[in-house]
Amino acid sequence: MAHISSIGAGIFSDLSYSGVGAETEITAAPTTEGDWKLAFAQEVANGTVATAGAPLEFRRIKDIREFPQMGTPPNIVNIPTYGFKTSKQVQGQADAPSFEVTLNFVPSDWVNTANYHGNLVGNGKLYLFRFTLLNTPSLGATANTAYASIAGGLGTVPNSQYFWMGKMEALQINPQLTDANTAVLTISIQSEFVGPYTS
Amino acid sequence: MGKYANLDTKIFALFGTSSWTAEGIKTFPANFVAMDAGTEFIRVSIIPAGPGINLKSVSGIVLIEIFVEANKGPKRASYIADKLDIFLSGKNLMPTTKIAIQLGSSAISPLGNDPDNPSLYRTSYTIPFNYFEVM
């Protein structure tokens, strides 16, 4: 398909991570668009054993309530310049953004058991993450590739994908007395953001 | 076409699809006098009366009145509402690139017997929409 060409709400946007089936820990981010997408070519359900080795399999983090801003912050620095009414600006090296995702918390998805999301929180390992801006759900017909970065998956609808490498650092539960329970998942950023790409 | 005609065309077209007609629920647009409508049908009105994010955009609701046989309980109306959800809720209709109609989450409200025909029970099904068009 292509990037989204209309204005709209990204109510079907998706957050996934890959590397769950790798035999060895990921230590370096992919360098090409094709390699990033290859890491998201096959979905494995939460709680299901992933296949070791290539291709890397990915899991989707569902029930997301609120996404943070996506991308590299600008960190604009003002440079005073003699003789000008306004200073000049340059872009300095930015601090990595705080990437905190608010979830509608489903405890059974986050148990600290092998093959579940919860088992990855705080384990110190690197994973590849993908955020996909989606205004409409994927029309992919096959369950384990409907949200894959391939033509027959996300490519069935307009989509824009962003990738980075990071760790799942913490999960903080926020019990609610009159609303749905929520949780905040903190993901640390260990590489630059790349994208947007489309499938 | 303008935004109102686009809305009419795309939303009413949903009720002309073979998958909807296969449901066997008689469907009429607003301002259409149905002859012999029977004891079960729906009437669809599009109300683009809300604010838009730019001059070419608008928001509003799709109001669908569900008529079922009176004195039979609410179950049939709820069943039809669930069917409507399958066709409408969360859908993103794109008449062309640069234009999108996004439908949200629906709600129903029982309205009691139809004042024009007390043998029919009326339930309103409403679903909000946003019509977006790139300037």
Side-chain angles (χ1 to χ4, degrees):
Chain A
M1 186 59 82
H3 289 288
I4 298 166
S5 62
S6 63
I7 300 168
I11 52 178
F12 295 98
S13 295
D14 178 69
L15 180 65
S16 299
Y17 59 92
S18 177
V20 289
E23 290 170 329
T24 55
E25 185 187 346
I26 294 167
T27 54
T31 54
T32 66
E33 177 182 346
D35 286 345
W36 278 108
K37 290 179 177 175
L38 196 61
F40 292 86
Q42 180 100 352
E43 182 182 348
V44 59
N46 191 29
T48 304
V49 180
T51 309
L56 299 183
E57 292 180 308
F58 70 94
R59 289 199 177 102
R60 296 176 63 208
I61 299 175
K62 299 177 181 178
D63 293 303
I64 291 178
R65 180 164 171 148
E66 198 173 335
F67 283 104
Q69 287 180 310
M70 196 68 50
T72 308
N75 193 24
I76 297 296
V77 178
N78 285 351
I79 308 293
T81 307
Y82 180 75
F84 289 86
K85 287 182 178 177
T86 58
S87 60
K88 293 182 178 176
Q89 292 187 316
V90 295
Q91 183 179 17
Q93 184 180 35
D95 291 335
S98 172
F99 198 93
E100 295 180 340
V101 182
T102 306
L103 310 164
N104 286 321
F105 187 55
V106 182
S108 63
D109 284 349
W110 290 91
V111 292
N112 189 5
T113 304
N115 306 313
Y116 284 88
H117 300 324
N119 195 233
L120 278 53
V121 176
N123 70 356
K125 291 186 177 177
L126 289 163
Y127 297 96
L128 307 178
F129 288 85
R130 181 195 66 186
F131 168 76
T132 311
L133 193 64
L134 285 173
N135 291 1
T136 187
S138 170
L139 300 176
T142 308
N144 67 348
T145 57
Y147 282 84
S149 296
I150 58 174
L154 289 175
T156 55
V157 293
N159 67 92
S160 297
Q161 302 167 34
Y162 300 79
F163 298 90
W164 73 97
M165 191 167 68
K167 299 177 183 178
M168 284 197 209
E169 301 288 4
L171 181 73
Q172 293 173 289
I173 316 303
N174 190 6
Q176 304 286 332
L177 300 182
T178 56
D179 190 5
N181 293 324
T182 62
V184 176
L185 173 67
T186 303
I187 298 169
S188 63
I189 310 297
Q190 305 289 338
S191 74
E192 292 190 350
F193 286 89
V194 297
Y197 300 137
T198 190
S199 292
Chain B
M1 281 195 292
K3 57 189 176 185
Y4 302 119
N6 272 332
L7 276 166
D8 282 349
T9 303
K10 289 302 289 185
I11 292 176
F12 284 128
L14 289 174
F15 298 100
T17 58
S18 56
S19 47
W20 175 255
T21 54
E23 298 290 345
I25 300 166
K26 288 182 184 173
T27 305
F28 302 101
N31 191 26
F32 183 89
V33 180
M35 302 299 289
D36 190 24
T39 57
E40 181 180 294
F41 61 96
I42 64 172
R43 186 164 60 205
V44 182
S45 307
I46 300 167
I47 306 171
I53 59 161
N54 59 27
L55 289 175
K56 290 187 173 181
S57 300
V58 69
S59 61
I61 60 168
V62 179
L63 167 64
I64 299 177
E65 292 162 284
I66 302 171
F67 295 88
V68 296
E69 202 172 344
N71 298 318
K72 297 282 187 182
K75 191 172 181 179
R76 180 62 186 165
S78 297
Y79 176 84
I80 293 172
D82 280 338
K83 288 288 181 191
L84 287 167
D85 261 358
I86 294 170
F87 285 83
L88 298 175
S89 187
K91 287 287 183 290
N92 188 357
L93 315 173
M94 292 174 279
T96 64
T97 58
K98 314 292 184 191
I99 296 176
I101 302 166
Q102 284 191 306
L103 293 149
S105 177
S106 67
I108 61 171
S109 177
L111 299 177
N113 289 359
D114 182 22
D116 296 330
N117 183 353
S119 69
L120 296 175
Y121 183 78
R122 196 161 52 119
T123 301
S124 82
Y125 171 100
T126 53
I127 187 163
F129 68 81
N130 275 303
Y131 176 95
F132 297 111
E133 186 167 344
V134 176
M135 293 285 283

